[in-house]
Amino acid sequence: MGLAPSFSFLMAGRVVAGIGVGYSIMIGPVYSAEISPAMTRGFLSSLPEVFINVGILLGYISNYALSSLPEHINWRLMLGLAALPAFAVALGVTVMPESPRWLVMKGRFVEAKRVLIKTSDSEEEADMRLAEMAKAAATLEQEPSSRSWHGQGVWKELLLRPSRPIRRILIAAIGVNFFMQASGNDAVIYYSPEVFKDAGIHGRKQQVGVTVIMGIAKTCFVFISALFLDHFGRRPLLLLGSTGMAISLAGLGLGSEYLRQCYEKPAWAIALCIVAVCADVSFFSIGLGPITWVYSSEIFPMRLRAQGSSLAISVNRVVSGIVSMTFLSISEKITFGGMFFALSGIMAVGTVFFYFFLPETKGKSLEEIEILFEDKPPDGNNKGLAS
């Protein structure tokens, strides 16, 4: 893309890059969940979101650094430099071990144990994890919907004839992915210079500089969330994040509307908008950002994990595209303030949804999580699961 001789060539590069990103955001969290021990799965499965934020921050910083270069050079460098981390990822994939659960499904137990020994504290823990996987695979083999594990019957079970537990899992996974993007976080990131311009910051370098500050806040908080995800659990951080986003977006809407109606732009109102944007993306990084990927990759049973996760993430990307493509046009109709008030209302609804439909999964193996969605849970640790 950095060397693109024409617009069509550039767009072709974007399509190829989009396919790569699509594979990554679906496979990365699922792979992390399948290879991780239960006690650290939250942290390890949130690493894709952590490094997405690191990449966004590096993008902001590089854009700021390149903004003073001539326009026919700066965008080419901005796109071309991304080849370096892509090459590093390609090299890293060549030394990654295969998912032990996939190996067990294929009957390759010796290879699965070899991987589990490398990712467990002791050989005894590896044996215990292998036994759980083998038990789940044996149950799976007896089910008619799982012929050869090549996906036959899986889509029918997911979409046409889901059992009550599977329907609950689908509602939880699709719901959390829907609200992740309906929150408008991607649009706020894409169009933050426009948002800051509307708030009264007109200098191009000032807009990019404030965007860098926003990126730093977002990255710091996603690190904090990843570190404490396995300690506090998914639900508390998700509810904290979505509540904080609702309040931050309401504050941003208030500040934007006040500035729109004022000829003079008071410093306190500009500061309120900057703080509200930073708070919004920070609360997103505490809750929805990392937890959506963790939750989507861990709640589906083994036989449905790949297809179920891909379905939920497809909803994620479709909603992201719709929100991003309509954000500016809707904002022109109802103002930025009105748009942020609407997003605040969406997050308030999302908070209620998370409270009633998403049970806690902290510290449970992937094989145990399926039981949380059964009609009769084995314990009282499933507060928040609606029937």
Side-chain angles (χ1 to χ4, degrees):
M1 289 186 286
L3 299 172
S6 65
F7 180 75
S8 58
F9 195 96
L10 178 63
M11 288 299 99
R14 290 293 292 169
V15 169
V16 174
I19 293 170
V21 170
Y23 280 135
S24 299
I25 62 174
M26 185 267 164
I27 296 172
V30 171
Y31 177 83
S32 300
E34 291 196 340
I35 204 168
S36 306
M39 298 309 294
T40 56
R41 189 178 60 248
F43 170 72
L44 295 172
S45 298
S46 65
L47 287 180
E49 177 67 14
V50 169
F51 287 104
I52 286 172
N53 280 275
V54 170
I56 291 171
L57 177 58
L58 290 176
Y60 288 155
I61 293 171
S62 65
N63 290 353
Y64 184 80
L66 297 171
S67 61
S68 57
L69 295 176
E71 286 192 2
H72 68 284
I73 294 175
N74 57 14
W75 68 269
R76 291 185 179 275
L77 284 174
M78 177 188 73
L79 293 172
L81 286 172
L84 297 176
F87 183 68
V89 169
L91 289 178
V93 169
T94 62
V95 297
M96 285 167 54
E98 184 53 81
S99 161
R101 285 176 171 82
W102 184 84
L103 291 170
V104 168
M105 287 169 63
K106 297 299 180 182
R108 293 155 63 176
F109 294 94
V110 175
E111 294 174 67
K113 184 173 181 180
R114 196 178 301 134
V115 175
L116 288 169
I117 288 173
K118 291 179 180 179
T119 58
S120 302
D121 290 331
S122 64
E123 190 166 342
E124 290 75 19
E125 181 186 341
D127 287 334
M128 182 180 70
R129 291 172 65 191
L130 182 61
E132 286 183 347
M133 294 175 197
K135 182 180 178 182
T139 303
L140 173 59
E141 196 170 23
Q142 297 167 8
E143 298 183 10
S145 64
S146 57
R147 297 185 294 272
S148 303
W149 296 308
H150 289 301
Q152 300 97 321
V154 169
W155 289 111
K156 184 184 294 184
E157 184 177 358
L158 271 175
L159 300 176
L160 300 180
R161 299 173 185 170
S163 63
R164 195 173 182 186
I166 297 303
R167 188 161 53 246
R168 289 171 170 172
I169 291 172
L170 274 173
I171 290 171
I174 291 176
V176 72
N177 276 276
F178 170 83
F179 283 109
M180 179 189 191
Q181 297 303 340
S183 69
N185 181 76
D186 280 6
V188 170
I189 291 172
Y190 295 151
Y191 303 118
S192 54
E194 292 294 323
V195 174
F196 292 133
K197 181 180 178 181
D198 190 68
I201 302 172
H202 297 288
R204 182 63 180 168
K205 272 218 163 187
Q206 289 176 317
Q207 292 171 7
V208 177
V210 175
T211 303
V212 171
I213 294 172
M214 181 184 75
I216 292 171
K218 185 174 170 63
T219 305
C220 290
F221 278 96
V222 79
F223 269 113
I224 293 170
S225 177
L227 289 172
F228 289 100
L229 197 52
D230 289 306
H231 178 72
F232 291 113
R234 284 62 160 156
R235 274 173 59 82
L237 291 180
L238 186 58
L239 293 171
L240 170 64
S242 58
T243 303
M245 286 182 73
I247 295 170
S248 301
L249 287 165
L252 182 56
L254 186 65
S256 296
E257 275 299 296
Y258 186 86
L259 287 168
R260 186 178 67 86
Q261 297 175 20
C262 290
Y263 180 76
E264 296 289 335
K265 307 289 186 182
W268 68 265
I270 296 175
L272 172 62
C273 289
I274 294 172
V275 170
V277 169
C278 291
D280 175 49
V281 297
S282 297
F283 278 115
F284 178 87
S285 293
I286 289 173
L288 273 170
I291 294 172
T292 297
W293 306 120
V294 174
Y295 213 81
S296 301
S297 61
E298 68 183 3
I299 62 174
F300 285 100
M302 185 187 292
R303 68 185 183 279
L304 306 175
R305 188 167 297 131
Q307 291 87 346
S309 297
S310 67
L311 177 63
I313 293 171
S314 295
V315 171
N316 183 301
R317 303 325 299 162
V318 168
V319 177
S320 173
I322 292 171
V323 172
S324 298
M325 288 188 290
T326 59
F327 182 83
L328 288 182
S329 56
I330 294 176
S331 296
E332 288 175 2
K333 297 289 184 182
I334 64 173
T335 74
F336 275 116
M339 187 66 174
F340 292 131
F341 280 129
L343 293 175
S344 175
I346 289 172
M347 287 318 303
V349 174
T351 303
V352 175
F353 174 87
F354 302 146
Y355 182 84
F356 285 106
F357 288 93
L358 273 65
E360 183 58 72
T361 58
K362 178 187 76 170
K364 296 187 180 296
S365 70
L366 296 181
E367 287 70 32
E368 292 173 325
I369 288 174
E370 184 179 0
I371 301 172
L372 296 178
F373 293 88
E374 297 288 350
D375 291 331
K376 295 180 180 180
D379 55 45
N381 193 34
N382 299 314
K383 182 181 178 183
L385 181 61
S387 59

